[in-house]
Amino acid sequence: MTKERRYTAEQLSDANKMAKMLASIPEEKRSLVVMMTNSFMAGMEAQRTIDTKEPAMAMA
């Protein structure tokens, strides 16, 4: 069973702005912008994972 996601008003507003921005980009360039955005978001998720993990113990 998957957990239902809930979004804040700010997140929904940001998503709406992003959708409007994507709609304003010519279709032939849109895939590049989507790819760059996905890469940025993946980097943010990776950094969050790094920040929340405990440091590995150094082996002597």
Side-chain angles (χ1 to χ4, degrees):
M1 183 173 182
T2 60
K3 183 178 178 183
E4 183 178 332
R5 289 188 177 186
R6 302 219 179 242
Y7 298 100
T8 65
E10 182 181 16
Q11 289 172 319
L12 292 172
S13 175
D14 288 346
N16 190 34
K17 289 176 190 175
M18 185 67 158
K20 286 180 180 179
M21 189 264 319
L22 281 174
S24 71
I25 296 172
E27 193 171 339
E28 63 273 3
K29 295 182 180 181
R30 201 170 297 157
S31 63
L32 176 62
V33 174
V34 169
M35 180 182 63
M36 291 169 56
T37 302
N38 285 339
S39 296
F40 177 77
M41 290 170 36
M44 289 176 55
E45 289 175 4
Q47 186 63 54
R48 181 178 57 195
T49 300
I50 291 167
D51 291 344
T52 58
K53 287 194 177 206
E54 293 188 24
M57 293 178 57
M59 298 188 76

